[in-house]
Amino acid sequence: MKKLLDLISDTMMAAFEKAGYEGELGKVSVSNRPDLCEYQCNGAMAGAKRYKCAPIEIANKVAEALKDSDVFESVEAVMPGFLNLKLNPAFLVNYMAEMSVSDKFGIEPKAPESIVVDYGGPNVAKPLHVGHLRSGVIGESVKRICAYMGNKVIGDIHLGDWGLQMGLVINEIKNREPELVYFKEDYDGEYPSEAPFTVGDLEEIYPFASKKSKEDAEYKAAAMEATFKLQNGERGYRALWHHIMNVSIADMRRNYDNLNVHFDLWNGESSVQDIIPSMVQDMKDKNIAYLSDGAWVIDVKEETDTKEMPPCIVIKSDGASLYNTTDLATIKDRADKYDVSKIIYLTDKRQDLYFEQVFRAARKAGLVSKDVDLVHISFGTVNGADGHAFKTRDGGVPRLENLISEINEMTYKRIQESRQLPEEEARSIAKIVALAAIKYGDLSNQASKDYIFDMEKFTSFEGDTGPYILYTIVRIKSILNKVSAEGFDVENAKFAGCYSAPEKDLMMKLAGFNAMMVNAYEEIAPHKICSYIFDLANTFNRFYHDTHIVAEEDAVKKGNWIALLKLTRDVLETCIDVLGFSAPEKM
Ligand code: ARG
């Protein structure tokens, strides 16, 4: 299906041609004076110069050419030469009917691309904290938007699983339990399948080791030594590493599941270690990487740069590879395995320069072909009410898990404030609503901006919030249930007309879905979906207050409204699904 605005523009262009002018002049835009008209066309103003006449003369002729059009209810030529347009309700009703039976509400399919979304990016052995929220939440939505638009999308968590944090943990375990079989040098038997620690232990071990390594140089050296041994394949260290991975990943999976964030690949920095040596060798052979102060680097400066652009280091002077090397190898791996046309990364904005360097180095080294898009979506910080990075009451970094249970609790209280439900039911509804509160609270902000994590506001059932959107969906569902229970044939309800201004507004909002979704995809901007559904929910609620749906006796009218309700529900539910949350049956 064509986008509504395109259909209107097509009609207008044809009218310009019919009146003897160039069709191009007939571009239509949404009116900036909704009190006067719904759409406007300023083509007569632009045409006046070319045709050497007064703009109003052109506007009048075009309006005349549109006299019998079934697209518009009214076409007014007003001084000095604007064309003010109002849509014909019947045309809109037909558009609704077609939209409601079309796949994806009429979005036109395009050739699918293969896209990798790199998001989440937690480091193994450390608990997830509030800083991990945005990458997971925005990334999940970006992945879903790309998939909704018909692409083949792969979400990859890209774990930090190969760095010093692994050595720190292994070294500390060794200090505490040196007798463990993993540290026996000449051991060549099987290692135990059970990990010698729990996730709770890891959560204590890592911060302890990390703190100590900052105060004690000898301790740090031992941790680095352990990292080196691990990376060079020492059997016992590898076996322990597998335990750390398993225990840590199980915990991460639980946390991400709670956020309705799901990855197709649980790859990490370790996954590409095998391809690093040949990749680096190739860079050296092609003279793309050169020695600088003992390190191998790639120049990535471009003439047009206005900011400092240091070279991208691929091998440090001590011979070790680093974060950059892994990302370069991962690009190569993805290009080779998945025939990607786009890789989208989600990290906070402190990594802006880093990704610029890596992308340039990847292109220079020919790791991906030129037509592959490398995109970094960087996001701002989650702040507390004071405008500074969000902290717990005692000044620590809040754990994601605690944050989620806190917001669950608050939502539960709100639900029980307005109605008394059995405990268990209220708890399960609260979980669904709380997730919408968190995700919408995040996604409704343009990603690049910082935002304030305001639990009171996010969980409110009124205003620009997730719960308000869910509340609107639940309201629609309950009306549909009610009329259905009264025997009305909801299933076969048909669009038949448009009976009021609020109803027309609602239809126009719904018709805007197509253009909005395409735009949110092209700009990789989930916040555009949020602002659309907020607008749609408001428009629906105005219509609802104005219209007595359940009591309506005219079956044709009632059927029309039921069809409109169903379409509104479906569009809203599609949007929240793409954002990564869902609505309960009641709340
Ligand atoms: N583990 C990294 C960090 O904690 C984030 C990974 C982001 N993805 C990537 N391909 N570099 O900063």
Side-chain angles (χ1 to χ4, degrees):
M1 263 176 97
K2 279 214 164 187
K3 292 172 195 151
L4 183 68
L5 196 57
D6 291 347
L7 279 176
I8 299 171
S9 279
D10 288 352
T11 309
M12 189 49 88
M13 287 183 188
F16 267 79
E17 280 176 10
K18 190 173 164 201
Y21 305 104
E22 203 188 339
E24 276 306 294
L25 294 168
K27 285 250 160 58
V28 173
S29 56
V30 175
S31 162
N32 53 19
R33 287 287 305 274
D35 51 325
L36 295 179
C37 59
E38 293 156 359
Y39 296 91
Q40 65 190 48
C41 171
N42 302 340
M45 310 296 287
K49 252 205 196 119
R50 199 170 318 159
Y51 296 102
K52 300 197 171 51
C53 63
I56 192 70
E57 197 181 306
I58 301 179
N60 277 327
K61 282 193 188 153
V62 172
E64 179 63 24
L66 282 166
K67 225 174 40 200
D68 303 317
S69 158
D70 55 5
V71 176
F72 300 111
E73 173 183 61
S74 73
V75 179
E76 270 183 325
V78 297
M79 284 300 274
F82 297 119
L83 282 157
N84 288 352
L85 311 166
K86 279 191 184 152
L87 268 193
N88 179 1
F91 172 78
L92 200 51
V93 172
N94 280 338
Y95 195 86
M96 291 295 102
E98 198 180 336
M99 209 179 144
S100 66
V101 295
S102 300
D103 187 32
K104 294 182 181 162
F105 311 106
I107 292 182
E108 283 180 7
K110 48 165 210 55
E113 292 176 39
S114 176
I115 301 173
V116 171
V117 185
D118 178 314
Y119 68 111
N123 294 332
V124 170
K126 302 181 193 174
L128 294 180
H129 56 77
V130 62
H132 292 106
L133 186 66
R134 302 209 74 188
S135 185
V137 168
I138 304 172
E140 181 70 21
S141 172
V142 167
K143 185 185 74 180
R144 286 163 179 252
I145 293 171
C146 292
Y148 186 76
M149 294 304 290
N151 300 294
K152 184 175 171 299
V153 196
I154 300 170
D156 184 359
I157 188 169
H158 199 78
L159 296 167
D161 59 1
W162 206 234
L164 179 64
Q165 84 265 23
M166 308 307 286
L168 280 166
V169 172
I170 293 175
N171 178 57
E172 181 55 28
I173 295 173
K174 188 177 178 187
N175 285 348
R176 292 181 188 192
E177 293 176 83
E179 72 287 353
L180 284 176
V181 61
Y182 306 93
F183 306 113
K184 280 211 182 83
E185 298 231 339
D186 43 15
Y187 182 76
D188 59 7
E190 293 249 325
Y191 289 105
S193 57
E194 200 74 5
F197 44 74
T198 64
V199 69
D201 298 334
L202 282 184
E203 284 176 4
E204 180 267 322
I205 293 171
Y206 174 75
F208 175 88
S210 168
K211 182 157 179 273
K212 193 159 174 193
S213 75
K214 285 180 189 120
E215 296 154 356
D216 181 341
E218 212 171 298
Y219 184 89
K220 179 161 185 195
M224 282 168 74
E225 164 87 19
T227 313
F228 183 81
K229 281 188 174 167
L230 165 71
Q231 295 183 346
N232 284 278
E234 176 127 344
R235 276 185 75 238
Y237 284 39
R238 282 285 171 106
L240 257 185
W241 176 81
H242 279 294
H243 286 315
I244 301 174
M245 291 290 281
N246 290 339
V247 166
S248 189
I249 285 175
D251 190 59
M252 283 178 186
R253 209 185 270 278
R254 191 178 50 79
N255 271 286
Y256 281 118
D257 278 349
N258 277 335
L259 274 177
N260 195 18
V261 169
H262 309 283
F263 303 95
D264 304 295
L265 297 177
W266 284 74
N267 287 346
E269 295 171 5
S270 68
S271 317
V272 289
Q273 294 307 314
D274 291 349
I275 63 174
I276 286 180
S278 62
M279 177 189 78
V280 173
Q281 191 54 50
D282 192 54
M283 289 167 170
K284 292 178 184 174
D285 292 347
K286 290 184 180 147
N287 287 326
I288 288 161
Y290 67 93
L291 264 180
S292 162
D293 290 332
W296 290 91
V297 305
I298 299 178
D299 269 336
V300 290
K301 238 207 325 254
E302 286 169 9
E303 250 167 51
T304 48
D305 285 339
T306 50
K307 56 181 193 284
E308 187 81 26
M309 185 57 67
C312 179
I313 303 174
V314 285
I315 295 290
K316 291 191 287 183
S317 54
D318 64 3
S321 61
L322 64 168
Y323 187 51
N324 313 9
T325 331
T326 311
D327 262 320
L328 288 168
T330 306
I331 291 178
K332 179 172 162 45
D333 188 48
R334 288 170 179 160
D336 293 350
K337 280 195 188 132
Y338 309 114
D339 187 27
V340 287
S341 60
K342 196 187 279 200
I343 309 177
I344 304 172
Y345 294 81
L346 288 115
T347 78
D348 72 46
K349 53 191 174 197
R350 285 172 301 185
Q351 298 197 30
D352 281 352
L353 174 66
Y354 167 75
F355 276 105
E356 186 72 57
Q357 290 175 295
V358 168
F359 292 169
R360 288 185 186 187
R363 295 210 184 284
K364 210 166 163 181
L367 302 179
V368 277
S369 68
K370 276 196 203 64
D371 43 328
V372 174
D373 249 351
L374 299 171
V375 187
H376 179 219
I377 306 285
S378 69
F379 47 80
T381 329
V382 182
N383 287 330
D386 59 358
H388 295 292
F390 197 64
K391 293 265 156 58
T392 56
R393 259 173 229 109
D394 54 18
V397 183
R399 291 183 53 163
L400 199 49
E401 208 167 358
N402 299 345
L403 203 67
I404 294 172
S405 35
E406 225 175 300
I407 207 156
N408 274 341
E409 199 53 39
M410 189 176 269
T411 313
Y412 169 76
K413 286 208 185 100
R414 281 199 195 258
I415 287 172
Q416 292 300 52
E417 260 165 34
S418 50
R419 60 193 291 179
Q420 290 297 318
L421 289 170
E423 161 90 14
E424 206 183 317
E425 189 180 2
R427 289 271 172 213
S428 84
I429 294 174
K431 240 179 120 174
I432 300 173
V433 179
L435 189 63
I438 298 178
K439 288 196 163 187
Y440 190 94
D442 189 310
L443 294 167
S444 56
N445 300 285
Q446 195 176 335
S448 60
K449 302 216 167 101
D450 298 347
Y451 75 90
I452 290 177
F453 196 91
D454 184 343
M455 242 184 257
E456 283 284 338
K457 182 179 147 209
F458 290 180
T459 56
S460 169
F461 284 25
E462 281 155 39
D464 190 5
T465 70
Y468 170 68
I469 305 292
L470 299 196
Y471 187 75
T472 305
I473 295 173
V474 168
R475 168 178 267 171
I476 298 175
K477 287 183 180 178
S478 87
I479 306 168
L480 292 175
N481 286 340
K482 192 162 178 191
V483 291
S484 176
E486 285 170 2
F488 196 89
D489 184 3
V490 168
E491 182 80 15
N492 295 305
K494 279 196 178 48
F495 282 100
C498 177
Y499 307 96
S500 72
E503 185 177 359
K504 193 176 182 190
D505 282 347
L506 178 57
M507 289 186 175
M508 287 206 289
K509 279 277 137 42
L510 287 166
F513 169 80
N514 187 335
M516 177 288 295
M517 192 57 104
V518 171
N519 180 249
Y521 167 65
E522 283 170 352
E523 297 188 6
I524 318 183
H527 73 279
K528 298 207 165 175
I529 302 176
C530 293
S531 74
Y532 172 75
I533 54 177
F534 180 50
D535 207 10
L536 179 59
N538 283 332
T539 312
F540 169 79
N541 284 315
R542 275 195 295 273
F543 160 74
Y544 172 74
H545 282 295
D546 184 73
T547 318
H548 297 288
I549 301 168
V550 181
E552 180 56 49
E553 283 178 2
D554 179 338
V556 174
K557 252 189 187 178
K558 189 163 173 170
N560 178 71
W561 288 335
I562 298 300
L564 188 54
L565 255 62
K566 282 163 61 187
L567 183 58
T568 308
R569 174 200 61 191
D570 294 346
V571 166
L572 284 172
E573 285 205 305
T574 297
C575 288
I576 63 171
D577 183 56
V578 154
L579 293 171
F581 54 92
S582 60
E585 285 310 305
K586 55 179 173 176
M587 65 189 269

